[in-house]
Amino acid sequence: MQKRHMMALTAACLMGLGLTTAQAQDDTFKVGLLLPMTGPFASTGKQLEAGARLYLAQNGSTVAGKKIELILRDDTSTPDVTKRLAQELVVNQKVNVLAGFGLTPLAFATAPVATQSKTPMVVMAAATSSITQASPYIVRSSFTVPQVVTALADWAYKNNIKKVVSLVTDYGPGVDSEKFFKDTFIANGGVVVETLRVPLRNPDFAPFLQKVRDAKPDALFAFVPAGVGTALMKQFTERGLDKAGIKVIAEGSVTDDDILNDMGEVALGLVTAHHYSAAHNSPQNKKFVEAFAKANNGMRPNFMAVGAYDGMRVIVEALKATQGKGDGDALLAAMKGQIFESPRGSMYIDAQTRDVVHNIYIRKVERKNGQLYNTEIETIKDVKDPGKAR
Ligand code: PHB
């Protein structure tokens, strides 16, 4: 092969892999924000975008002499699209950081782009334990599902729930929910009589709920991703499971603050575990909820908004610490080990695992001033991802 051809081919290959390390050269610092803005998970994208923008609005968007520019792309919650957009953002826009990732498969699809281009990738939403192991450039500001469901399994057994049916969405975080809930609950002495998985796309809960009813458990344990809980709970009541005396305990995405008020009566008393509630009682959270509502037509922030707000904090502080240089490895190093006060409570990014460590709360849905809230009733402090210990 001619030398000229070889060189052209090598350059093409490098581009194809996103191997260029050239980051934004001018006075801007670019964050590529990949979010599902349309399609079934648009509510997740809307919350994440609003959280990221609020952090910048409150903390100044020029840092260490660089203007921070958010470049938002709608990935329609399709993994191939997220990956292609990430490549395009790295190669053409020369973004310094990739961020967002509303669902687990979108984060996994993009991980190789982060690794090959040495671009830090801040996962602000997706919650499957193993995501941080998919690339050494991933840092997570959201949460992990095992952190949450192990706390819930402990609470349930202590509170007289001994026999459970598990119902989860059939993909990464659902599989993690099922496994970690079940293992912990069984270790405590409980029984999981059935494990059911519903499809991610267009789920019809009815046939699964019929099985739950037939199994007559003390409680249904459920995980569905943010935005889907209303459909689950509506069908739960329509099938009469509440009247049959079956309780619901759930991963906190089910009573997501964005949709909780639409759920109505059926949600009252529902117990969940999670890392964030809009009702979290701290001065910092009160300010956050108020500012968020003011900037977004009265919208209530959910845990997605907080994941993005805190993720922007991690990015901005890394930019400050590296004095605006924007180099991927230096930024990554400055993200590891950050410790700070979030609207969710205190948190840090574990320097070894690059994963989030924070409090997990047991909450109960209550009505306050005519609105439904996840009221925190117990706190488990500084929870690391149990998935990493195995
Ligand atoms: C995920 O895909 O990891 C995910 C999405 C939404 C949630 C929780 C986990 O509410």
Side-chain angles (χ1 to χ4, degrees), residues 102-105 125-128 143 145 171 173 223-226 251 253 303-304:
L103 294 164
T104 287
T128 300
F143 73 107
V145 157
Y171 79 120
F223 164 82
V224 293
E251 195 275 351
S253 304
F303 63 97
M304 293 294 183

Side-chain angles (χ1 to χ4, degrees), residues 150-201:
T150 49
L152 185 64
D154 287 340
W155 181 90
Y157 192 76
K158 277 191 230 138
N159 285 274
N160 259 329
I161 294 170
K162 310 286 173 198
K163 180 177 160 186
V164 161
V165 172
S166 162
L167 184 153
V168 302
T169 303
D170 192 6
Y171 79 120
V175 174
D176 265 8
S177 292
E178 180 189 288
K179 175 177 170 34
F180 282 84
F181 180 88
K182 190 174 166 194
D183 288 358
T184 310
F185 195 62
I186 289 175
N188 282 335
V191 203
V192 177
V193 284
E194 209 161 351
T195 52
L196 307 169
R197 295 182 182 181
V198 301
L200 176 61
R201 305 278 163 185

Side-chain angles (χ1 to χ4, degrees), residues 16 67 86 103 134 143 152 157 208 226 248 252 256 267 270 312 319 321 325 328 335 338 343-344 360 365 367 375 390:
K67 170 126 189 59
L103 294 164
F143 73 107
L152 185 64
Y157 192 76
F208 297 96
V248 180
D256 149 18
L270 212 151
M312 281 315 296
L319 176 61
K325 283 197 287 290
M335 289 178 182
Q338 281 193 31
R344 72 184 85 175
I360 298 301
V365 177
R367 198 189 298 282
T375 307
R390 298 186 176 218

